[in-house]
Amino acid sequence: MVWADVALSKHPRFANNVRDNLSGVSLMLRAVTRLRKPDLHALFGLHVRARGAWVESPDRADAVFAADRGLTPFDPDRVAADYL
């Protein structure tokens, strides 16, 4: 199952359903299911290449991306808001 909360028309009516919006639903489903996102390593690697440099020690870093400190994989809202 894929949940996608999308608006299908500019002026939705009470009967806003798949049958009345089949072309829009079809396009949205293709877009949602074919969307490719980078994994976290690739995403943060791109940010490092664009904005800074790798450092050997986390103590010398302006931003830390790790499993146990700084920005972690357990902060998906922050990753999405600040890095995607």
Side-chain angles (χ1 to χ4, degrees):
M1 177 194 297
V2 176
W3 178 272
D5 188 9
V6 295
L8 297 173
S9 64
K10 289 182 181 179
H11 305 289
R13 300 177 320 222
F14 179 72
N16 190 9
N17 56 43
V18 172
R19 186 190 70 196
D20 294 338
N21 291 287
L22 194 54
S23 63
V25 169
S26 177
L27 289 171
M28 287 296 162
L29 282 175
R30 266 189 251 128
V32 168
T33 58
R34 293 180 182 172
L35 180 66
R36 296 187 63 198
K37 294 181 183 178
D39 60 46
L40 291 178
H41 185 268
L43 177 66
F44 296 141
L46 289 170
H47 277 274
V48 168
R49 285 179 38 201
R51 294 175 177 80
W54 292 102
V55 294
E56 294 297 320
S57 169
D59 297 329
R60 296 185 54 218
D62 293 330
V64 176
F65 309 109
D68 59 349
R69 67 171 130 172
L71 185 61
T72 75
F74 308 108
D75 298 321
D77 292 338
R78 207 169 131 211
V79 170
D82 297 341
Y83 296 95
L84 285 180

